[in-house]
Amino acid sequence: FSGMAGRGPVIFLDVDGVLHPLNAKGFPLHADHEALLARQDGDVVDGEFWAPCMEQLRRLVHATGAFLVLSTTWRQNPKTTAAVNAQLAAFDIPPTDQATPILDYFDGRCAEVCAWLDAQRSGGEDEAPHEHGEACEAGGAYRCWACDPVPASPWVVLDDTDLVGGTGCEDCRRRVAAGHFVRTAADRGLTPADVDAAIQLLLGPAGAGPPALPPT
């Protein structure tokens, strides 16, 4: 990425259902319900940021040298963002100052991921990416990350939601589906198998480098 040159692979990180498992009602599985209801902004309740999931995230970050971009709803409030970073640091995972932009709910999380990637591709220049869902001009000098077949750095999205089959920009969902998405099971959170899959997407088989992308 021109805007983040030298920082290596990217992990777009959800929290709920990834860094701690959820129960059938969508609450952290190992947390006390009353404590969840009583907490203030920025508080972390026992059972959130569950150690087995955090240890798997640490393994992924250390194995790939990737840096984190928050795509979770925890990024929407400075206090909860700080809480995430405090938990990352507690598990020897580098904190992050990066987060996807907050778009309209109906745009979908994939569009937010692509918007962050667009911003890095433009390098902060005045040239703006086309709107998501709008066709790129054939042979144009600028191609957005939603439809560029040759990304400069590998990236992966960790999320418990079905982003690919959800709503929002079709082009963005297609790009995330093309070798960039590891969906966790919400009732388990991040597992060793999920991390193995993410490592292969970021580094390729046996660390051979990023995998080839299918034609778009």
Side-chain angles (χ1 to χ4, degrees):
F1 312 114
S2 59
M4 302 295 290
R7 293 192 65 171
V10 181
I11 299 167
F12 292 94
L13 183 66
D14 186 24
V15 169
D16 299 308
V18 176
L19 299 185
H20 45 250
L22 304 176
N23 62 25
K25 294 184 177 181
F27 294 107
L29 180 64
H30 301 292
D32 178 76
H33 185 65
E34 294 301 322
L36 290 170
L37 294 178
R39 71 148 144 219
Q40 303 295 313
D41 275 350
D43 289 348
V44 172
V45 173
D46 286 346
E48 294 181 311
F49 299 93
W50 198 43
C53 297
M54 297 297 292
E55 289 163 0
Q56 289 305 315
L57 179 63
R58 179 176 61 206
R59 179 167 77 91
L60 174 57
V61 169
H62 289 194
T64 61
F67 72 95
L68 302 176
V69 177
L70 300 182
S71 56
T72 172
T73 54
W74 288 65
R75 79 196 192 286
Q76 297 176 358
N77 180 317
K79 291 182 179 179
T80 52
T81 297
V84 174
N85 275 322
Q87 293 298 313
L88 293 174
F91 283 87
D92 192 29
I93 302 168
T96 181
D97 61 357
Q98 295 295 311
T100 56
I102 300 170
L103 304 181
D104 187 273
Y105 173 81
F106 294 103
D107 288 327
R109 187 161 288 181
C110 290
E112 294 175 335
V113 166
C114 288
W116 186 92
L117 292 167
D118 287 347
Q120 311 317 308
R121 181 61 177 270
S122 67
E125 297 174 0
D126 292 337
E127 183 180 20
H130 66 70
E131 294 295 323
H132 293 297
E134 175 187 338
C136 285
E137 295 182 10
Y142 184 91
R143 291 178 65 89
C144 83
W145 286 90
C147 50
D148 192 332
V150 188
S153 294
W155 52 277
V156 69
V157 180
L158 301 180
D159 207 297
D160 66 308
T161 304
D162 181 12
L163 301 181
V164 173
T167 60
C169 171
E170 183 177 352
D171 283 341
C172 298
R173 288 188 283 117
R174 175 176 54 81
R175 286 303 302 147
V176 170
H180 298 290
F181 183 41
V182 173
R183 184 181 181 186
T184 63
D187 62 349
R188 294 196 300 271
L190 192 64
T191 66
D194 295 329
V195 169
D196 291 343
I199 289 173
Q200 181 158 327
L201 292 177
L202 291 175
L203 300 183
L213 293 177
T216 57

